[in-house]
Amino acid sequence: MNSSSLGFLNVSIVGRNRDSFSTAVAKNVIVVALGLIINYINGTLIHTFRKHQIFYINPRYTLFIHLVVNDMIQLNSTISLFVFSYIFYKINVSLCCFIILCSVFTTLNTPINLAVMAVECFIAICLPLRHAELCTIQRIYILIGWMWTLSAVVTMPDVFIILATEPIELFYSTIVCSKDNLFRHPVILEKRDVSYIIYLIFVWLTLLFTYFKIFLAVKSAKSVKSGNGDAKKAKHTILLHSFQLLLCMLTYVSHTINKALYNWFPQHFTHALFMSYIIVQILPRFVSPIVYGLRDTTFRQHLKKYQMCSVTKSKHQTMACSEDY
């Protein structure tokens, strides 16, 4: 997947149009600063999740926190490669392979996680009497395990193809670390395109089906105010998931985007590529905290309580705010 190469694709043209030292420092400071901010926000969400039993016994929040952790791994992987591309230019192939695999695994997990969350919303609204039976914590953990297994099934054959077609010395050498440089066998490229199409078709059909069913529930629940409100909220949540998926899809077409940027801005390609990296890799990581961390009433209340306790503890070190949880 091109997600792992987008953030540091500038290294492919570094010989022709390398950033000045001040520009390189500025870009890396911006990327690292944004990464630290997002990691802090997500870390706060994870801490709030762990401190309250109401969250980790709820399948909806368990799926959400898995998406947050998944986003953190993906973000840190792409930022690491972005920084490495400026500091080292070339890195060890084994390290490059490990980081790219982390990025690809998490990128593949994201659409499936969104689809599962949409199905959970559908069951909660359209099959409320069976929600407790169908959406148990144990089943959610099993689904999460299947997400990672499916990502491994799709991705690991690429590694085996490299092992079969490339000399073992390759893994002891250094390269400009990008997925296209490492996984360049024609079979890998064809398999990747097919698997991406299947992934996206499956996820979009799932989102459309759940949205349509919940939309019908909104229309049929007019006589029940509370149910109508829950259905409307679920419908809006599915729309937000669709927006998240649209942002994620930019990753799948990043190679095409990069080619277009090079044709449109040949003299300022590195700057255009940097803005593309911010939009495709950084911006989507802000969406997940908004969907549940700020928009969800229950999560927002506990998050505010945690923040108030953090401020109080910083002013009065002797107060044990954790006792209030």
Side-chain angles (χ1 to χ4, degrees), residues 277-294:
Y277 170 75
I278 296 295
I279 294 172
V280 174
Q281 291 296 336
I282 303 294
L283 180 61
R285 308 286 84 80
F286 276 114
V287 177
S288 294
I290 293 174
V291 173
Y292 278 101
L294 300 179

Side-chain angles (χ1 to χ4, degrees), residues 178-222:
S178 73
K179 191 173 190 299
D180 291 335
N181 278 351
L182 186 59
F183 301 103
R184 57 178 181 261
H185 195 278
V187 173
I188 295 177
L189 299 178
E190 293 181 7
K191 180 186 71 66
R192 183 176 63 188
D193 293 338
V194 172
S195 62
Y196 291 174
I197 293 173
I198 294 174
Y199 256 70
L200 293 178
I201 290 176
F202 168 77
V203 173
W204 275 113
L205 288 178
T206 301
L207 290 176
L208 290 174
F209 172 80
T210 54
Y211 179 81
F212 179 72
K213 287 294 186 179
I214 293 173
F215 176 78
L216 293 180
V218 172
K219 295 185 66 175
S220 63
K222 290 180 180 179

Side-chain angles (χ1 to χ4, degrees), residues 135-244:
C135 300
T136 64
I137 289 297
Q138 292 75 16
R139 288 183 176 179
I140 293 302
Y141 286 143
I142 292 173
L143 282 173
I144 291 174
W146 275 110
M147 289 182 203
W148 287 92
T149 301
L150 184 60
S151 297
V153 169
V154 173
T155 306
M156 291 309 295
D158 296 352
V159 179
F160 298 144
I161 292 174
I162 291 179
L163 291 173
T165 58
E166 300 285 351
I168 195 64
E169 290 78 11
L170 172 69
F171 289 89
Y172 299 99
S173 61
T174 60
I175 63 169
V176 175
C177 188
S178 73
K179 191 173 190 299
D180 291 335
N181 278 351
L182 186 59
F183 301 103
R184 57 178 181 261
H185 195 278
V187 173
I188 295 177
L189 299 178
E190 293 181 7
K191 180 186 71 66
R192 183 176 63 188
D193 293 338
V194 172
S195 62
Y196 291 174
I197 293 173
I198 294 174
Y199 256 70
L200 293 178
I201 290 176
F202 168 77
V203 173
W204 275 113
L205 288 178
T206 301
L207 290 176
L208 290 174
F209 172 80
T210 54
Y211 179 81
F212 179 72
K213 287 294 186 179
I214 293 173
F215 176 78
L216 293 180
V218 172
K219 295 185 66 175
S220 63
K222 290 180 180 179
S223 60
V224 183
K225 185 176 180 180
S226 60
N228 189 33
D230 291 340
K232 284 185 177 180
K233 184 176 180 181
K235 185 184 72 171
H236 295 156
T237 299
I238 300 297
L239 287 176
L240 284 173
H241 289 336
S242 300
F243 176 66
Q244 285 180 276

Side-chain angles (χ1 to χ4, degrees), residues 38 41-50 55-56 58-72 109-110 112-114 116-118 120-121 137 140-141 144 147 237 241 244 284-296 298-300 303:
I38 297 174
I41 295 172
N42 288 337
T44 302
L45 296 176
I46 295 172
H47 181 77
T48 304
F49 172 85
R50 290 180 59 253
F55 294 132
Y56 56 78
N58 188 312
R60 182 174 304 171
Y61 294 113
T62 302
L63 285 170
F64 161 65
I65 216 66
H66 173 257
L67 184 63
V68 170
V69 173
N70 191 81
D71 283 350
M72 291 181 69
N109 283 342
T110 300
I112 302 299
N113 202 115
L114 292 173
V116 173
M117 293 175 77
E120 190 277 332
C121 286
I137 289 297
I140 293 302
Y141 286 143
I144 291 174
M147 289 182 203
T237 299
H241 289 336
Q244 285 180 276
R285 308 286 84 80
F286 276 114
V287 177
S288 294
I290 293 174
V291 173
Y292 278 101
L294 300 179
R295 186 170 167 270
D296 184 85
T298 304
F299 213 106
R300 185 171 64 248
L303 187 61

